[in-house]
Amino acid sequence: MIIGVLLGNIFPELPKILNNNNAGTTNIPLAIGLILMMYPPLAKVNYKLLPKVFKNVKVLFISLVLNWVIGPVLMFVLAILFLQGHPHYMAGLILIGLARCIAMVLVWNDLAEGSAEYGAGLVALNSVFQVFAYSFYAWLFITVLPPYFGFEGSIVDVSIRLVAESVALYLGIPFLLGILSRLILVKMKGIEWYQNVFIPRISPLTLIALLFTIVFMFSLKGEMIVEIPFDVALIAVPLIIYFIVMFLIGFFVSKAAGAPYDRNAAIAFTAAGNNFELAIAVAIAVFGLNSGEAFVGVIGPLIEVPALILLVRVAFWLRKKYYPIVEG
């Protein structure tokens, strides 16, 4: 984070150079970093076990309620409480709350030693919901509900195609790479080689790509963080509260339902994360590149990355406290 901010300030032209590699609202180097980051966790998934995940109705129900009822409502409430004097920031924050995580949650789940199969299964389930529900949710939470609380509603026209493109890019490609890796390499080299040689060899790629992504994101916005720190802090406060509250609700609801730690971690991180790539794309498409809504979308991942890394540490502490290893 510090290196990124320093690079952005020492070399003011750097963000312009990095932004020259855009295709529409997608920054290609950033997209490559995210895909590489998600590839190892998805290569670890035993896809033969996914049907078992989808048969666990209790876990699926908990995840859907957390992601599509509690999450959007909590972000809406936080946006009203903390950003009521900044309507554009408020709308941007609500857009983030509606974009359920489909990408980096796999990284957080992997770092926290959660179930790779449940992480992949829940992400796949929520991505399908996202394609068909995001447009309706945007209309409900940004157009319909704000006037009931004394705020002006905004017209948000989000096409299913835009959401589907985001899902295909940030989830479809790494999913496909993970499936093909397992199918081809297990057939060629055997499961023992795949699990004990190939997976340990590619696993560091997640952390390397994560570090690259952090430096990249913070170098893009390093100058802005220094110039308007108050606005950044204003947006950061409700986001940090959101991440912590969603993670803890997910963890303790799952624990109460009897989920073992690895499944619990998958549910909690799926609930806490958000699809900032989609939120940014929607904000730019609807409100414009230089809008307050797009600004919030850009600040979001700068807050999410360090917050979720810290929650990985919290997950390990909670595992130690609530899931003690029984010796014997």
Side-chain angles (χ1 to χ4, degrees):
M1 287 161 60
I2 293 168
I3 291 169
V5 171
L6 287 173
L7 285 172
N9 282 276
I10 294 169
F11 305 103
E13 293 298 312
L14 184 63
K16 292 177 186 176
I17 295 167
L18 296 176
N19 276 321
N20 285 337
N21 299 298
N22 280 16
T25 61
T26 303
N27 185 288
I28 295 169
L30 188 59
I32 292 169
L34 288 168
I35 289 166
L36 286 175
M37 189 166 57
M38 290 182 287
Y39 169 61
L42 286 168
K44 291 176 186 177
V45 174
N46 185 348
Y47 291 92
K48 291 178 181 177
L49 298 179
L50 282 186
K52 188 179 176 182
V53 174
F54 290 114
K55 285 178 183 176
N56 193 330
V57 177
K58 188 191 289 185
V59 167
L60 298 183
F61 178 75
I62 290 170
S63 183
L64 288 173
V65 170
L66 286 168
N67 278 283
W68 295 103
V69 179
I70 297 172
V73 171
L74 175 62
M75 193 70 97
F76 182 79
V77 171
L78 289 171
I80 288 175
L81 289 176
F82 287 91
L83 299 173
Q84 54 186 277
H86 305 268
H88 295 292
Y89 290 174
M90 193 172 80
L93 198 73
I94 293 168
L95 280 176
I96 290 171
L98 303 180
R100 309 315 303 161
C101 193
I102 62 165
M104 292 182 76
V105 65
L106 294 166
V107 177
W108 313 132
N109 181 56
D110 185 55
L111 294 176
E113 298 175 7
S115 166
E117 287 72 32
Y118 273 81
L122 294 177
V123 163
L125 177 70
N126 282 297
S127 68
V128 172
F129 263 75
Q130 189 151 258
V131 169
F132 296 103
Y134 191 86
S135 301
F136 170 74
Y137 269 69
W139 169 77
L140 178 65
F141 281 91
I142 293 181
T143 306
V144 176
L145 291 179
Y148 287 99
F149 297 87
F151 302 99
E152 189 177 336
S154 303
I155 303 299
V156 180
D157 184 18
V158 184
S159 69
I160 287 178
R161 181 183 173 182
L162 179 68
V163 185
E165 284 174 357
S166 174
V167 171
L169 176 62
Y170 294 108
L171 186 63
I173 292 173
F175 242 116
L176 185 62
L177 290 172
I179 293 168
L180 289 175
S181 294
R182 181 168 280 271
L183 284 175
I184 295 168
L185 293 177
V186 167
K187 195 172 183 180
M188 288 173 60
K189 295 278 194 173
I191 190 67
E192 288 294 322
W193 178 89
Y194 187 83
Q195 295 283 20
N196 299 323
V197 179
F198 179 71
I199 292 297
R201 199 172 285 172
I202 65 165
S203 289
L205 190 61
T206 295
L207 281 174
I208 294 166
L210 175 59
L211 289 170
F212 163 78
T213 305
I214 293 169
V215 172
F216 190 92
M217 287 193 304
F218 277 82
S219 64
L220 277 176
K221 301 302 170 186
E223 199 174 354
M224 181 179 67
I225 291 167
V226 174
E227 285 177 359
I228 45 174
F230 176 76
D231 288 55
V232 174
L234 191 70
I235 295 161
V237 172
L239 277 172
I240 291 169
I241 293 171
Y242 172 85
F243 295 137
I244 293 170
V245 171
M246 285 302 295
F247 175 82
L248 292 176
I249 291 174
F251 186 91
F252 286 107
V253 167
S254 302
K255 185 181 177 298
Y261 171 79
D262 62 341
R263 296 179 193 178
N264 196 335
I267 294 168
F269 281 107
T270 306
N274 290 85
N275 183 357
F276 286 98
E277 299 81 22
L278 173 60
I280 292 168
V282 170
I284 291 172
V286 176
F287 299 102
L289 182 62
N290 297 312
S291 65
E293 290 85 353
F295 175 72
V296 174
V298 168
I299 293 299
L302 304 184
I303 309 304
E304 183 193 35
V305 171
L308 271 290
I309 288 173
L310 288 173
L311 284 175
V312 169
R313 303 307 308 166
V314 172
F316 285 134
W317 180 79
L318 289 171
R319 178 173 67 176
K320 194 175 179 180
K321 184 176 175 64
Y322 293 104
Y323 292 93
I325 298 170
V326 179
E327 295 183 6

